[in-house]
Amino acid sequence: MHKTKVVAVLLVILMLLAAGCAGHTPDTGQVPGTGGKVQKPPAQSQSVSLVEPGEKKGPAGLVAATVTRVVDGDTLVVRLKDGKSETVRLIGVNTPESTREVEPYGKEASAYTRSRLDGRRIWLERDVQERDHYGRILAYVWLEPPGGVDPAEDVIRSRMFNAELLLKGYAQVMTVPPNVKYADLFVQLQREAREKKRGLWGLKVKEREPYYIGNARSRKFHRPDCEYGRQTAPGNRVRFATREEALDAGYEPCNACKP
Ligand SMILES: [Zn+2]
């Protein structure tokens, strides 16, 4: 009797915990595919500046690095000048999963980034936040230095790898404020790729909906019957007539309902 009661209480706690996790993951604005993995958050004091004290910043505050490994389409391991190894997550873009689970076009995106960047010399540009919760450096990856803090659009198109992934349809826009320096242009590049059905945009879309629900906080959008969409607080709710409208507003498709 007593034992049963304890077991019942434990079960309820477990269920609550599971529900809490499941309800939380898709809408945090975090990088998809990292939800289940427990990673140690970086201690504040561990934070290492991209630019060492005393070192002169380049014209755009760029830091040179060499790519030692491509983890997947949007994540790299690089070696910095001081010999230190760092993981870099590209800002503003998201390629389909290719590691823990495989999403359509994930392998292609991963192979493309590997073919372009493995072993290559690159230049990292940071935005407002230097690192994400996992301690990865957040960066725009330049194949050649842009030659100024405010590069022209054609320079971005031809030299920045984040832009290249979007233009070729290997990535979708993923806007995580406050790192939004190139967010508007990224949405435009994504639209071009989509209109030309490049890469992942050539894949067939599962059935269209009469409308979609956007979450202004997480910047994700959902099918009307998605539980995460329905859980969106009324104040954050944005209605889109089509998925194109949501994509052009810079919203990212939900990982669960795949709108
Ligand atoms: Zn959804």
Side-chain angles (χ1 to χ4, degrees), residues 31-211:
V31 180
T34 50
K37 208 152 107 193
V38 178
Q39 298 191 43
K40 207 176 74 182
Q44 287 300 341
S45 59
Q46 264 180 353
S47 180
V48 179
S49 176
L50 266 183
V51 180
E52 297 93 38
E55 185 190 1
K56 199 174 177 302
K57 279 191 185 185
L62 297 181
V63 171
T66 303
V67 179
T68 52
R69 189 163 72 87
V70 170
V71 179
D72 66 16
D74 53 37
T75 311
L76 333 161
V77 178
V78 303
R79 194 175 53 242
L80 299 177
K81 205 178 86 181
D82 59 5
K84 189 181 292 159
S85 195
E86 291 272 9
T87 301
V88 173
R89 173 64 167 81
L90 272 62
I91 300 173
V93 299
N94 189 34
T95 57
E97 271 295 304
S98 65
T99 48
R100 289 188 324 121
E101 58 167 313
V102 178
E103 290 174 346
Y105 229 67
K107 293 284 181 204
E108 287 86 345
S110 196
Y112 183 72
T113 298
R114 192 162 293 123
S115 74
R116 293 286 283 144
L117 297 186
D118 209 8
R120 185 170 180 153
R121 183 103 170 125
I122 57 169
W123 286 264
L124 304 174
E125 177 189 359
R126 58 170 289 186
D127 204 325
V128 176
Q129 290 172 322
E130 186 168 292
R131 291 170 192 268
D132 66 9
H133 325 282
Y134 307 112
R136 302 179 295 190
I137 288 177
L138 293 168
Y140 301 103
V141 167
W142 292 93
L143 303 168
E144 290 171 58
V149 281
D150 215 358
E153 189 179 320
D154 63 314
V155 173
I156 299 170
R157 284 170 177 265
S158 60
R159 300 187 193 174
M160 189 209 282
F161 190 67
N162 309 47
E164 184 175 319
L165 283 177
L166 290 168
L167 273 170
K168 301 219 168 195
Y170 285 110
Q172 301 193 22
V173 166
M174 185 181 76
T175 305
V176 183
N179 308 307
V180 298
K181 181 173 177 187
Y182 300 103
D184 291 345
L185 175 63
F186 283 2
V187 169
Q188 189 189 316
L189 302 181
Q190 170 175 267
R191 186 165 54 232
E192 280 180 38
R194 197 178 72 228
E195 282 167 2
K196 291 182 176 150
K197 293 190 163 30
R198 290 188 190 135
L200 62 86
W201 301 108
L203 300 171
K204 229 174 138 166
V205 178
K206 197 179 84 183
E207 203 187 337
R208 290 179 174 267
E209 304 286 354
Y211 69 96

